[in-house]
Amino acid sequence: MRKKIVAGNWKCNTTVQEGVELAKAVNELVAKADAKNVVVVLGTPFTHITSVVSAVDASLINVAAQNCAAEAKGAFTGEVSAAMVKSTGATHVILGHSERREYYGETSEILNKKVALALANGLTPIYCCGEALSIREANEQNAYVKTQLEETIFNLSAEDFSKLAIAYEPIWAIGTGVTASTAQAQEMLAYIRGLIADKFGKAVAEETSILYGGSCNAKNAPELFAQADIDGGLIGGASLKAEDFLGIITAY
Ligand code: PEP
């Protein structure tokens, strides 16, 4: 059965000390809650990963980077390689987030390198896709997301593809307080699963965890997560408060 995943994306928030406190608080709440069937991931800044990994129980909490370099190593000042991320104890890496595509020029070509390096280093990519508002208004979201997938992770072998998770995040819903309707989210995730089935076969499609992201919170998560194709969430703002995040983790 495919995994249910609730992944926090802290973005550029918290100091190391604040992050460790937040991670400990999430750990404590998850330990008390009945959330055994959910893979909980904290996507922290690079600087926090080692400390957060040490502060949590690895059987309850996984830690992710929010990015990794497109090169394996070498003279790339300021970059953090997939091997470095792996060496911290992180298990996942968020790749292709719309903020990285938009503000840091991440193209499909760059993302292909990052995904390949993440997989080669044993990290689970949480690969983000999703359309801007203008594309949704023109009703071209399906074609747009299809191209995003075809240019990147659909180039992988079925074996490698089956190691990653996908997060569909309509850009117009990220950090805006506007959530895609349950129907819109389910429709797109079912569409993505259909594309995966066409490309890699039904068995791979059925095993792929596809998450929804975009103003997901403890209030709307139960309805979203009840949909047949929604296997969890990638959570921004609501992952910065332990109680709010727990409310989403326990939404199943
Ligand atoms: C995100 O940036 O991945 C995200 C889903 O943010 P928010 O939950 O704040 O909309």
Side-chain angles (χ1 to χ4, degrees), residues 20 39 58 74-75 89 136 138 140 148 157-158 180 191-192 194 200 211 240:
V20 166
V39 177
R136 170 65 64 165
E140 285 167 0
Q148 281 186 320
S157 66
Y191 173 69
I192 293 172
F200 296 108
L211 319 182
L240 290 168

Side-chain angles (χ1 to χ4, degrees), residues 61-89:
I61 309 279
N62 299 273
V63 184
Q66 300 168 20
N67 182 26
C68 71
E71 308 295 337
K73 64 193 283 195
F76 302 102
T77 302
E79 288 294 280
V80 176
S81 73
M84 292 173 193
V85 171
K86 179 70 180 177
S87 71
T88 62

Side-chain angles (χ1 to χ4, degrees), residues 27-45:
N27 191 120
E28 203 173 304
L29 291 173
V30 170
K32 282 191 226 143
D34 182 18
K36 294 261 183 305
N37 61 339
V38 179
V39 177
V40 179
V41 184
L42 302 179
T44 83

Side-chain angles (χ1 to χ4, degrees), residues 9 11 97 99 169 173-176 213-216 234-237:
N9 175 11
K11 310 194 184 189
H97 191 281
E99 287 154 15
E169 299 203 305
I174 296 178
T176 57
S215 299
C216 184
L234 181 55
I235 318 297

